[in-house]
Amino acid sequence: MKAFVVDKYKKKGALRLANVPEAEVQDTDVLVRVHATAVNLLDSKLRDGEFKLILPYRPPFILGHDVAGTVVRTGSRASRFKVGDEVYARPRDHRVGTFAEFIAINEADVALKPKNLSMTEAASIPLVGLTAWQALVEVGKVKPGQKVFIQAGSGGVGTFAIQLAKHLGAIVATTTSAENAELVKSLGADVVIDYKTQDFEKVLSGYDLVLNSQDPKTLDKSLGVLKPGGQLISISGPPDPAFAKEAGLNLFLKLIMRLLSRGVRKKAERLGLRYSFLFMRAQGQQLSEIASLIEAGVIRPLVDKVFPFENTGDALAYVETGRAKGKVVIAVQ
């Protein structure tokens, strides 16, 4: 099969289109013919080797974390899906590789595709949908009337998280550029801050939860908008000891994670706040719940551009510009 591979860790390194062996289908796997995939900044970070310590992929490896496609084969003990089912998924870590014509995925990571979405629309959902779900529902436990600040509202995670937070009954604030203000308002944002002309820490106060996706300076400022007992959930780091424990990292890496997050954890503790790092995990049941919300019209996908499979490298470069509104998708089949 054809796939885009990373031959070695390299900053801004090129992807190579290659013929590779079809993935082995394990007992509890389904083999999916990829109709569409999507690009995430996580793909760039993996290519550049930024996560080598916690996700040590051995080059050459295939990138790609989102997939929508059709089941073409099932493992001997796989029972959740049948050949012909239209599905979508975010394959688990160490088994990613959706920039390809086929991928074998553990059936626990898979869900039936939302019936009202095309393959390209469905491929835009898994990673950002699970990130928002795990941050707001699982960790944050957002309740009606709470105030939630979601950074970068016009990005992939932001466009989904705004809609989910609004569905949960939250009052939602976000940052974006002036040109995208109407877009994020249409998704449900109540307070829109132009990051080019306004400082969010001077506008917002008394918030229950912040979903941080930006740099360390923004992370530090975010603590100031939370009320006592509030929660700061970061998907951009720094990793904390709880993450290191859950990931089963060795003692050396646990120490590094503790040191990396020491500053923000101590400051949060002094202010009576909670800090946690979220590294989204694959979860098929949560994708099923997300599909129900999409089919009910609660959440809609936002796709900026669709690239053909042979232009996967261009799609990745476009995402790296930071100008995409919502998600960038690759049509494979």
Side-chain angles (χ1 to χ4, degrees):
M1 69 172 183
K2 291 181 179 179
F4 278 92
V5 301
V6 176
D7 284 316
K8 62 180 180 179
Y9 290 120
K10 181 182 179 183
K11 190 72 174 175
K12 302 298 181 188
L15 299 179
R16 177 174 61 90
L17 182 60
N19 286 309
V20 299
E22 194 173 284
E24 179 185 348
V25 180
Q26 300 177 14
D27 289 350
T28 55
D29 286 352
V30 293
L31 183 66
V32 176
R33 180 189 296 275
V34 181
H35 290 269
T37 179
V39 184
N40 300 280
L41 281 175
L42 177 59
D43 298 305
S44 296
K45 294 178 185 295
L46 284 182
R47 178 206 60 199
D48 297 346
E50 289 188 29
F51 289 122
K52 279 191 292 187
L53 288 177
I54 58 177
L55 290 175
Y57 288 102
R58 181 177 297 174
F61 61 91
I62 305 170
L63 282 177
H65 293 76
D66 286 309
V67 61
T70 306
V71 175
V72 295
R73 194 189 317 161
T74 61
S76 60
R77 291 168 48 213
S79 59
R80 299 186 182 189
F81 304 94
K82 64 183 185 302
V83 172
D85 280 346
E86 294 187 340
V87 297
Y88 75 145
R90 191 287 203 190
R92 63 188 57 183
D93 293 323
H94 303 290
R95 296 197 65 191
V96 302
T98 61
F99 293 177
E101 294 178 309
F102 296 89
I103 183 170
I105 314 172
N106 188 297
E107 66 172 0
D109 303 341
V110 179
L112 292 174
K113 177 184 75 68
K115 295 182 179 68
N116 57 336
L117 296 189
S118 66
M119 287 289 186
T120 51
E121 290 172 325
S124 73
I125 296 293
L127 186 142
V128 297
L130 287 170
T131 300
W133 184 278
Q134 289 165 20
L136 301 178
V137 177
E138 191 174 78
V139 179
K141 297 178 173 59
V142 172
K143 298 176 177 61
Q146 288 190 322
K147 295 165 69 176
V148 175
F149 172 38
I150 295 164
Q151 296 166 6
S154 60
V157 173
T159 53
F160 192 101
I162 289 171
Q163 296 178 81
L164 180 58
K166 202 64 186 173
H167 169 67
L168 295 171
I171 298 164
V172 182
T174 194
T175 49
T176 191
S177 62
E179 66 185 86
N180 292 327
E182 290 306 314
L183 169 64
V184 296
K185 286 178 183 178
S186 74
L187 299 174
D190 300 289
V191 180
V192 180
I193 298 163
D194 180 356
Y195 72 89
K196 294 180 180 179
T197 62
Q198 295 176 285
D199 296 322
F200 70 81
E201 72 274 18
K202 295 179 181 178
V203 179
L204 306 178
S205 63
Y207 272 66
D208 297 277
L209 186 148
V210 174
L211 179 55
N212 177 76
S213 58
Q214 305 299 299
D215 56 24
K217 185 178 179 181
T218 305
L219 179 76
D220 186 65
K221 290 179 179 179
S222 295
L223 291 168
V225 310
L226 288 163
K227 70 180 185 182
Q231 188 169 15
L232 174 56
I233 300 173
S234 179
I235 60 174
S236 58
D240 60 1
F243 163 74
K245 181 179 179 181
E246 186 177 333
L249 301 182
N250 61 42
L251 288 175
F252 174 68
L253 291 178
K254 286 180 178 178
L255 177 60
I256 289 177
M257 303 302 160
R258 182 175 293 277
L259 292 173
L260 285 173
S261 62
R262 187 173 185 270
V264 67
R265 287 187 293 108
K266 291 295 182 183
K267 185 172 181 179
E269 187 178 345
R270 286 198 307 271
L271 296 171
L273 307 172
R274 292 168 290 158
Y275 171 78
S276 57
F277 170 69
L278 175 70
F279 196 84
M280 183 276 302
R281 70 188 191 284
Q283 229 289 351
Q285 180 55 43
Q286 291 178 354
L287 281 178
S288 293
E289 296 185 58
I290 289 169
S292 296
L293 293 181
I294 292 170
E295 289 171 352
V298 172
I299 292 173
R300 60 183 173 92
L302 191 68
V303 176
D304 185 309
K305 286 187 178 183
V306 180
F307 287 78
F309 184 54
E310 58 269 22
N311 293 353
T312 293
D314 295 335
L316 193 58
Y318 178 63
V319 167
E320 289 170 342
T321 67
R323 295 196 299 266
K325 300 172 187 176
K327 289 297 291 290
V328 173
V329 175
I330 297 163
V332 179
Q333 295 288 343

